Amino acid sequence: MDEKTLQDLFDGLRVNHLTMSYTHLLTGFVQSKTLLEKIADIARELKRSNPKLIYVCDPVMGDNGKMYVPMEVFEAYRDSILPLADIVTPNQFEAELLTGITIRSEKDALAAIDRLHSRGVPTVIISSSDLGDDKNLIGFGSAVNQGAGKLRFRMNIPRLPASFTGTGDLFTALLLAWMTKTGDLQRSCDITVSTLQAVLKRTWKHFQENCQDPQPCLRHLELRLIQSKRDIENPVVSVQCLNI
C-alpha cells in the first residue's frame, strides 16, 4: 500500500461518517517515509474525532543490529509518530535507535524507556532484549499515569531454539486486545507473553514432528495460530512480570 491508496481508503471512511467510530489504531511494519507520514496525518485526524482513541505503534525498523528500513523511516518515527503514540513496543535495537541510548544493562533499558516517556509516550514496552541468558530473553514495561506515579516491570521470556516470523505482530495485537479488555498493563503483558509462548511451543512441536530438513525451515515454523485458537481466547498465565 502507498500513501495515496491509504488516503483514498480513509476518505471513504470520512465520506461515510465512520472516522468517529474508531477507538484504537495499530500500526506495524511500514517501509516508506511518505506512507508513515500519511499514517501520522490520519492518526491526528482520528484523535481529533475521538480524543480517547488509543494509538499502539510497533516501530518495526530492524533487529540484531540490522535495519530493515531506510534511515528516513526512522526519522519519521522519531519526529512524527512518537508524539502521537499512546503505546510503543520497540525491541532493543529499535529502542536504541529511537533514543540514542545503547542498552547493555537494565539501567540502560530504563533510561531508554524514560527518554521515550519524555517524548510524550505514556506506555513503553521493550518487547525483547539481549540482557537475558541462554534460557530467557528479557523485556521491560513502563507506564506513566497522571497522579498515579510510574509502573515498571521486567518480563522473563523463555527462549526456544528457533527463530519465528510474526512474533512481533502477534505480541502487539495481543497486547492491544488485552489492554482493551482489562485496562491493566502488567496483567496484559502476563497474558500476552503467556499466549505467545503457547503459540510458539505448539509451532515448535509441529516443526519437530513434521520437518525432515536438517535446518529449521520457514514452512514448518509458520505460527500455528488457528491451531492455538483456544490458547488465544482462554490463555493460561504461565509467565508473570516482576515489578522493578
Side-chain angles (χ1 to χ4, degrees), residues 11-25:
D11 288 344
L13 295 173
R14 188 192 294 114
V15 167
N16 288 283
H17 308 289
L18 295 173
T19 58
M20 293 183 66
S21 65
Y22 282 86
T23 58
H24 296 82
L25 174 64

Side-chain angles (χ1 to χ4, degrees), residues 50-209:
N50 177 11
K52 294 184 179 180
L53 178 136
I54 301 298
Y55 176 20
V56 181
C57 172
D58 183 6
V60 181
M61 293 183 287
D63 200 3
N64 299 315
K66 179 181 179 181
M67 288 193 71
Y68 306 150
V69 299
M71 183 59 68
E72 62 182 11
V73 172
F74 150 70
E75 294 166 352
Y77 273 117
R78 181 193 61 197
D79 300 334
S80 300
I81 296 295
L82 282 185
L84 296 168
D86 298 284
I87 303 173
V88 294
T89 61
N91 59 31
Q92 176 180 334
F93 177 66
E94 292 155 351
E96 290 175 336
L97 280 175
L98 290 169
T99 64
I101 295 174
T102 300
I103 298 174
R104 295 195 178 97
S105 66
E106 182 175 293
K107 181 179 179 181
D108 295 334
L110 296 179
I113 286 172
D114 283 341
R115 186 160 296 179
L116 291 170
H117 283 321
S118 74
R119 293 177 180 171
V121 185
T123 300
V124 179
I125 305 292
I126 296 181
S127 58
S128 63
S129 76
D130 297 327
L131 300 181
D133 51 31
D134 292 341
K135 294 183 178 180
N136 292 283
L137 296 168
I138 302 294
F140 298 93
S142 178
V144 177
N145 301 311
Q146 291 184 349
K150 186 180 294 183
L151 168 69
R152 284 182 160 172
F153 54 85
R154 180 192 309 110
M155 299 177 285
N156 295 320
I157 306 169
R159 289 182 184 266
L160 288 172
S163 295
F164 302 89
T165 300
T167 53
D169 294 334
L170 180 57
F171 179 94
T172 307
L174 289 168
L175 178 67
L176 172 56
W178 286 104
M179 279 291 290
T180 303
K181 188 170 184 176
T182 70
D184 184 323
L185 176 63
Q186 189 163 340
R187 175 161 173 73
S188 296
C189 284
D190 288 343
I191 298 171
T192 293
V193 174
S194 297
T195 305
L196 190 56
Q197 282 292 302
V199 174
L200 295 182
K201 287 178 180 178
R202 180 169 285 104
T203 303
W204 179 244
K205 182 180 179 182
H206 172 77
F207 160 76
Q208 290 179 309
E209 293 175 348

